[in-house]
Amino acid sequence: MLKERIINLLRKHSLSDKLLFEFFSSTEETKNAIKELLEEGRIVQVRKEYYIPESLGLIKGRIVSIKENFSFAKISEEEDVYIDNKNLNSAFLHDEVYLLKDKHSRRDEYIVHSI
């Protein structure tokens, strides 16, 4: 219940943990809920703010192939996306990652934002 309330609040605005603690009375319970949401990949932390991944343009995927110069991540049952190995950001095979589309690429390339 608390986790869903946090998600609903973050759908409207990114918030710091301090502001989240102001919205919800039990700081220990809120800390645990935030930690679980981060572990589940339902929210991400960028600097000191929490976001819903989709609001940042992030796509959840899993690294499925790593070759000498490029890799692929599966983002759905039918779709794999290309990642230049310089954009793997230390991800390994089978890691669950958040991907961001590379705006500077001429092709459909992605960058590993976080693991």
Side-chain angles (χ1 to χ4, degrees):
M1 176 84 172
L2 176 60
K3 292 195 305 187
E4 292 308 315
R5 290 174 52 207
I6 292 171
I7 293 283
N8 288 334
L9 189 59
L10 290 176
R11 280 194 175 109
K12 298 174 186 162
H13 307 283
S14 64
L15 296 171
S16 67
D17 51 4
K18 181 180 177 183
L19 286 173
L20 283 171
F21 295 147
E22 288 180 19
F23 280 102
F24 305 102
S25 57
S26 172
T27 49
E28 193 60 38
E29 186 180 359
T30 303
K31 281 182 187 179
N32 290 336
I34 291 169
K35 182 180 176 189
E36 288 176 19
L37 288 168
L38 286 167
E39 289 171 358
E40 294 166 5
R42 295 178 65 196
I43 65 172
V44 292
Q45 183 177 12
V46 179
R47 295 187 184 92
K48 295 186 180 208
E49 298 278 319
Y50 295 98
Y51 297 85
I52 302 296
E54 296 78 20
S55 69
L56 297 175
L58 298 175
I59 301 168
K60 194 171 189 178
R62 178 184 297 273
I63 304 297
V64 293
S65 176
I66 298 178
K67 304 293 183 194
E68 188 173 328
N69 296 314
F70 60 91
S71 301
F72 289 98
K74 182 169 282 304
I75 60 172
S76 70
E77 288 297 318
E78 305 86 31
E79 188 176 6
D80 293 349
V81 295
Y82 178 90
I83 305 166
D84 189 297
N85 280 356
K86 71 177 186 254
N87 295 322
L88 269 177
N89 293 329
S90 302
F92 291 105
L93 191 62
H94 305 299
D95 278 350
E96 287 192 17
V97 295
Y98 279 111
L99 302 164
L100 188 59
K101 192 165 187 167
D102 187 351
K103 295 176 185 174
H104 300 101
S105 172
R106 294 182 193 161
R107 303 185 322 186
D108 264 356
E109 290 187 35
Y110 286 77
I111 298 168
V112 173
H113 177 271
S114 59
I115 303 168

